[in-house]
Amino acid sequence: MDDEKVLLDDSKKNTCIKVKIPLRISFIGGGTDIPSFYKRFGGVCVNATIDKYVTVTVKRCFGHPRSLHSDTVKAALDYTGMSEVYVEIEKDLSVQGLGTSSAVIVGLLKALYAFQDDTINEGDLAETAYVLEREILNQPGGKQDFYSASYGGLREFRFRNDGKISENTVLNKKQIDSNYLMLFDTGVIRDRSIKAPHESLNSPQLEILKTLVSPFCSAISDGNFELMGHLLSAAWSIKKRTHPSISTEKIGEIYDTAIRTGAWGGKLLGGGGGGAILFVVPLENRERIKSKLELLGTTHIPFDFSYEGAIRYDK
């Protein structure tokens, strides 16, 4: 009877959990979510998730060698007290600047908690993912990416001096016309030997950057894409002055070409040095801009917005 009970209980356990996590585009405020800044001044970031995803699958696999797992997966397993599982990670894109590493960790934690029949709300999921990547794995960076991956949608996140969220505002629940936005892979890969600056960013420049968030949110509410573009360019100009490694000659050429060809404005995404770049463009200039930038070795990434954060979809 006892053996039957054990078999019955084991059959109820999860054997496979799948979680889909959206990547994001960071509009404005990046850098103010770094502890060295928000602990003094508070931080604020505006970002939006897109229909490009990371998929995390956790499968029961007794005795599977941990050596096949990455350091990130091992850290997540240790943090959640998990063993006897195998983790698979799939990515729609492998482009820097879209919050991929944070999306992976958010998805890992959500899947591992679900595997144990535990639930975790969006805020706690984001904070736990932040602790795992930034404090346990000691990877530099800010907080916004974890919250974006966890909550999803177009949002404004405000960080208090203690790092907690004081506001989490959904800026526009309606579908935003993504045709006014163009995303490109610059083809420039950040030199891994040069770590992104993060904690050494110029704080006075970040204080100026922070003042652009409110007018940018107003431009979104008004559907004023031209103003959004101009504000993104202003933010990019400021961000470049926060650290010399933020831009490169090639990135500058791509940006200048897009502006000359009719883009209203734009900026590099993520920590800088390479990866994805975003432009706000008039509809009539989309094809000209695409053609010009592809001559420079970029790749256009068509996308739409996603309005959900990390979701389990194996049920």
Side-chain angles (χ1 to χ4, degrees), residues 228-302:
M228 286 172 58
H230 294 326
L231 288 168
L232 285 188
S233 281
W236 174 234
S237 179
I238 294 167
K239 190 69 178 287
K240 285 188 294 184
R241 296 197 293 272
T242 63
H243 198 277
S245 70
I246 294 292
S247 188
T248 68
E249 184 177 342
K250 178 65 178 295
I251 290 168
E253 183 183 13
I254 292 168
Y255 174 86
D256 292 342
T257 299
I259 299 300
R260 286 197 306 267
T261 312
W264 283 319
K267 65 181 285 286
L268 193 72
L269 303 181
I277 193 166
L278 178 73
F279 294 104
V280 186
V281 306
L283 298 182
E284 63 271 19
N285 290 343
R286 280 183 63 90
E287 289 306 314
R288 288 201 308 130
I289 290 170
K290 179 175 179 288
S291 297
K292 288 284 188 180
L293 294 192
E294 287 181 343
L295 290 175
L296 297 177
T298 71
T299 302
H300 180 228
I301 305 172

Side-chain angles (χ1 to χ4, degrees), residues 105-303:
I105 291 184
V106 166
L108 271 171
L109 289 171
K110 187 174 180 73
L112 291 171
Y113 279 116
F115 204 89
Q116 301 175 90
D117 290 321
D118 288 336
T119 58
I120 184 169
N121 65 41
E122 290 92 341
D124 289 341
L125 177 60
E127 278 296 316
T128 303
Y130 173 81
V131 169
L132 182 59
E133 184 167 39
R134 303 292 185 238
E135 298 179 10
I136 294 176
L137 289 169
N138 199 31
Q139 294 297 313
K143 303 194 80 166
Q144 66 162 316
D145 291 356
F146 305 100
Y147 281 89
S148 182
S150 184
Y151 282 95
L154 172 61
R155 293 180 183 266
E156 176 189 30
F157 294 103
R158 289 185 174 270
F159 300 101
R160 303 187 315 216
N161 299 99
D162 61 2
K164 302 297 183 182
I165 281 189
S166 60
E167 292 181 42
N168 170 10
T169 305
V170 179
L171 293 174
N172 193 335
K173 293 182 180 180
K174 296 179 181 179
Q175 182 74 28
I176 296 176
D177 190 350
S178 58
N179 287 316
Y180 285 96
L181 302 175
M182 297 190 76
L183 180 65
F184 293 88
D185 178 0
T186 62
V188 181
I189 299 174
R190 183 191 308 130
D191 186 345
R192 296 290 186 181
S193 67
I194 303 174
K195 289 199 172 183
H198 299 299
E199 299 293 337
S200 61
L201 293 177
N202 183 302
S203 287
Q205 294 297 330
L206 290 177
E207 289 182 71
I208 298 171
L209 180 64
K210 189 177 172 184
T211 67
L212 300 180
V213 173
S214 180
F216 185 81
C217 291
S218 296
I220 289 177
S221 298
D222 295 339
N224 190 337
F225 287 97
E226 183 173 0
L227 179 56
M228 286 172 58
H230 294 326
L231 288 168
L232 285 188
S233 281
W236 174 234
S237 179
I238 294 167
K239 190 69 178 287
K240 285 188 294 184
R241 296 197 293 272
T242 63
H243 198 277
S245 70
I246 294 292
S247 188
T248 68
E249 184 177 342
K250 178 65 178 295
I251 290 168
E253 183 183 13
I254 292 168
Y255 174 86
D256 292 342
T257 299
I259 299 300
R260 286 197 306 267
T261 312
W264 283 319
K267 65 181 285 286
L268 193 72
L269 303 181
I277 193 166
L278 178 73
F279 294 104
V280 186
V281 306
L283 298 182
E284 63 271 19
N285 290 343
R286 280 183 63 90
E287 289 306 314
R288 288 201 308 130
I289 290 170
K290 179 175 179 288
S291 297
K292 288 284 188 180
L293 294 192
E294 287 181 343
L295 290 175
L296 297 177
T298 71
T299 302
H300 180 228
I301 305 172
F303 77 93

